[in-house]
Amino acid sequence: MAQQLPSGQAPRKKRYQAWLKRSQAALLSLGLGSMTPLMLSTAQAQAQAQLNEYCRLSPQAIAQKDQLRTAAIEGNATAQSQYQALVQQHNNQLNSCRQRNWPRQQAMWLRVYPCDTQAGVIEQILDDIVNKGYNHLYLEVFADGQVLLPRSQNNTPWPSRISTPGLENRDFMAEIIEKGRARGLKVYAWLFGMNYGFVYSNRADRQNAMARNGYGETSLQFVENGSEAFIDPYSPQAIADYQNLINQMLQRQPDGILFDYIRYPRGTGTRSVAASIADLWVYGPASAQALYNRAQNRQGLALIETYLRQGRITVGEVAAVLAQYPTEGTPRWQGRQVPADEPGVDVSTLHRRLENDLWILSVSHAAQGVVDFVDTAATQARSRNTTSGAVFFPGGNQPVGQRGFDSRLQPWDKFPASMEWHPMAYAVCGNTNCIMEEINRVRQFASPGTKIIPALAGDWERPHTGRPPLRDQMAALRARFPEIDTVSHFAYSWQEPQFDNDRRFCRL
């Protein structure tokens, strides 16, 4: 949830005046500060806005558009007409440049705030994204337990991000999609997946929908920041809520839809590894019942129930189950391959086999919940002819040691190949090598035809959080994987941190 400063922020008009002064200062530095919008149009016609090899606009073209937009906001009808014409011109130039230059598609990840609803703000943001050479936008529409839906039309369990009185009918998502397209941007809706947020987890009627581990915890107790609330992917209630949410988003007709947080929470220290069934998020009522349903005979069911309850089974318990159901031969459940010699082995040997097989069953069951969740979401998008993508960590599916697994248990290698794959290649090693290795790992798992769209993190010009500049990462990506022609950059807030802070903490 966006934080707010105490009252006393500059009113809207003063904010616009500040923008105008900044624009005029930029124009003065370029020798254009004394020109009217009409004069600017004539001057710019003599020196067309040239895009560099990264499809970025020149400082002169940016300054001209900034002044026209500011004047249009102030009510200048001539400037408004010229601004719209310039927006279309830059749209055409961006499209032409991207067709000629690698990558063909370049996306920016964007979060918006309530103050972005002020006149001209979202235009300024979208213009800046186009100025930087991006032709795709990944717009965050569901995150931190808030949805980018108008309050008057929000029938989901989550509150609307734009809750300002008087804006109940403002469909900001639809507006951004329309204004983005006018600038040559394809706009994707970006949603958190299994992380439904704190507000959802506090609802009395959603307690059975939350994921739980064998220690009686939800992710709110497990994750140190106390804000991540993961659901049980087997929960009918959680699934129905998400389907309704997706339907609301698809009604706004985005160019695509991306699903993030398609995983379980990540712990710290030793809890970053799932090494026992108690570490798995399979103790919610729906997940537990689905696990029981995987039994294929009564012996199998009895042992699954015992294993889930105790975290282990004993030799005596195996012997008791065999004696209780003597006609069933040997315990069976989905996925268990029964060795030919099993009817003749001693109970101690059988116990060792069964305990190992129960661990494999439990991990597979937890992972299958993630796969089913994203497959259901992708199917819903496909029914509306909308492109879908899965966002994931390249290391989220890795085994750890002889028995453990990354606690996120993110089996992205099993995600549908019909979806776009968006690996978050955020590795930190002081250079680009580890980032490229993460992308290469995804390529090795992907089946032929899978569209891989790496997400790179950082700032275009400067190192950021231990990562090389995006410019360097892009050069390394092109050199090593020239066949990858679509990439995204996380995030606009990282490239424009001061502007992001101003927007985040402003008060309407």
Side-chain angles (χ1 to χ4, degrees):
M1 182 178 297
Q3 300 180 35
Q4 294 183 335
L5 291 177
S7 60
Q9 286 278 354
R12 182 181 305 176
K13 187 173 181 180
K14 289 185 178 180
R15 289 173 57 85
Y16 295 153
Q17 291 172 341
W19 295 338
L20 182 58
K21 288 180 180 178
R22 287 197 295 270
S23 297
Q24 289 173 338
L27 291 164
L28 285 169
S29 70
L30 298 168
L32 301 174
S34 61
M35 295 186 178
T36 66
L38 281 171
M39 294 169 65
L40 275 169
S41 181
T42 302
Q44 201 63 29
Q46 298 172 354
Q48 287 288 320
Q50 297 299 315
L51 279 67
N52 65 16
E53 62 182 306
Y54 304 108
C55 297
R56 294 187 160 219
L57 280 166
S58 67
Q60 292 88 348
I62 293 171
Q64 179 196 17
K65 186 160 59 177
D66 285 349
Q67 190 193 45
L68 287 174
R69 183 184 60 250
T70 303
I73 292 169
E74 293 292 332
N76 186 315
T78 301
Q80 175 65 32
S81 176
Q82 293 179 335
Y83 171 62
Q84 293 301 330
L86 192 58
V87 164
Q88 184 58 53
Q89 176 188 328
H90 290 174
N91 176 342
N92 296 337
Q93 290 176 327
L94 176 64
N95 179 61
S96 176
C97 183
R98 279 287 158 225
Q99 289 179 3
R100 299 191 311 269
N101 293 279
W102 180 94
R104 296 294 186 266
Q105 291 88 39
Q106 183 171 269
M108 176 70 81
W109 301 79
L110 174 69
R111 165 176 282 197
V112 294
Y113 306 102
C115 280
D116 294 340
T117 59
Q118 295 181 99
V121 179
I122 197 62
E123 287 85 351
Q124 179 184 5
I125 295 168
L126 295 174
D127 283 349
D128 191 38
I129 289 171
V130 169
N131 295 345
K132 298 179 190 306
Y134 296 91
N135 61 348
H136 280 57
L137 173 66
Y138 298 159
L139 174 67
E140 186 184 73
V141 297
F142 171 55
D144 298 334
Q146 294 180 318
V147 293
L148 194 62
L149 292 172
R151 288 181 62 186
S152 63
Q153 301 174 35
N154 183 4
N155 65 353
T156 75
W158 299 279
S160 296
R161 175 168 296 173
I162 310 299
S163 58
T164 308
L167 298 180
E168 293 84 359
N169 297 317
R170 182 80 173 266
D171 196 337
F172 205 36
M173 175 182 173
E175 183 180 319
I176 293 172
I177 291 173
E178 179 183 2
K179 291 179 177 179
R181 286 176 178 159
R183 289 162 172 77
L185 294 169
K186 286 193 173 182
V187 184
Y188 279 43
W190 163 32
L191 288 74
F192 280 19
M194 291 166 55
N195 179 6
Y196 279 22
F198 183 79
V199 172
Y200 187 94
S201 70
N202 273 344
R203 290 181 58 126
D205 59 350
R206 296 298 192 274
Q207 294 307 300
N208 283 342
M210 304 310 298
R212 296 184 183 276
N213 61 22
Y215 306 104
E217 298 172 319
T218 67
S219 59
L220 289 174
Q221 292 84 49
F222 181 78
V223 180
E224 288 186 347
N225 63 23
S227 64
E228 296 184 5
F230 285 76
I231 50 84
D232 177 354
Y234 289 97
S235 165
Q237 181 69 70
I239 293 170
D241 287 337
Y242 203 68
Q243 288 179 324
N244 178 44
L245 174 64
I246 294 173
N247 183 57
Q248 292 290 319
M249 299 307 173
L250 292 177
Q251 287 180 14
R252 274 76 188 169
Q253 299 183 330
D255 295 291
I257 188 165
L258 300 180
F259 303 107
D260 199 353
Y261 277 91
I262 309 296
R263 59 177 177 87
Y264 296 103
R266 182 174 190 175
T268 58
T270 58
R271 303 200 78 183
S272 66
V273 178
S276 71
I277 189 172
D279 297 326
L280 302 179
W281 300 91
V282 296
Y283 287 81
S287 185
Q289 186 58 57
L291 181 58
Y292 299 150
N293 292 344
R294 297 191 186 281
Q296 294 181 331
N297 64 9
R298 290 173 294 178
Q299 289 181 354
L301 175 58
L303 290 176
I304 291 171
E305 290 175 336
T306 300
Y307 189 67
L308 185 63
R309 183 176 63 253
Q310 298 179 173
R312 58 190 289 272
I313 56 174
T314 66
V315 173
E317 287 163 344
V318 173
V321 165
L322 295 177
Q324 186 176 4
Y325 306 108
T327 62
E328 292 187 345
T330 194
R332 297 177 183 272
W333 47 77
Q334 289 178 9
R336 181 163 194 259
Q337 302 297 317
V338 179
D341 68 341
E342 187 153 292
V345 301
D346 62 85
V347 69
S348 295
T349 300
L350 180 59
H351 164 260
R352 288 193 297 272
R353 287 181 181 177
L354 291 172
E355 195 159 56
N356 181 68
D357 289 352
L358 283 166
W359 170 240
I360 295 173
L361 169 68
S362 303
V363 172
S364 300
H365 171 73
Q368 190 61 48
V370 178
V371 174
D372 290 348
F373 186 93
V374 73
D375 189 50
T376 298
T379 299
Q380 188 175 352
R382 190 162 54 248
S383 71
R384 299 285 289 269
N385 297 315
T386 302
T387 299
S388 66
V391 186
F392 57 87
F393 288 105
N397 66 343
Q398 290 188 122
V400 181
Q402 293 184 339
R403 178 183 172 87
F405 294 88
D406 186 296
S407 63
R408 292 169 292 188
L409 216 63
Q410 188 173 45
W412 54 260
D413 51 298
K414 305 300 182 185
F415 289 173
S418 58
M419 300 181 75
E420 294 177 348
W421 284 16
H422 293 255
M424 295 178 283
Y426 297 171
V428 177
C429 60
N431 55 55
T432 62
N433 292 340
C434 54
I435 298 170
M436 295 305 110
E437 283 306 311
E438 285 194 324
I439 296 170
N440 189 52
R441 184 169 189 270
V442 174
R443 291 175 68 255
Q444 291 173 343
F445 275 96
S447 59
T450 305
K451 188 170 182 60
I452 299 172
I453 304 176
L456 306 177
D459 177 85
W460 183 255
E461 296 286 353
R462 299 175 296 275
H464 191 292
T465 58
R467 299 175 181 89
L470 285 173
R471 184 199 296 264
D472 295 349
Q473 295 183 49
M474 292 288 285
L477 179 66
R478 185 178 188 180
R480 185 160 179 184
F481 309 116
E483 73 279 6
I484 294 178
D485 65 355
T486 305
V487 66
S488 68
H489 294 160
F490 186 90
Y492 186 71
S493 60
W494 286 23
Q495 295 200 27
E496 298 294 339
Q498 186 57 55
F499 187 32
D500 186 77
N501 281 337
D502 291 344
R503 292 160 45 229
R504 178 184 303 181
F505 296 117
C506 106
R507 185 181 179 91
L508 287 173

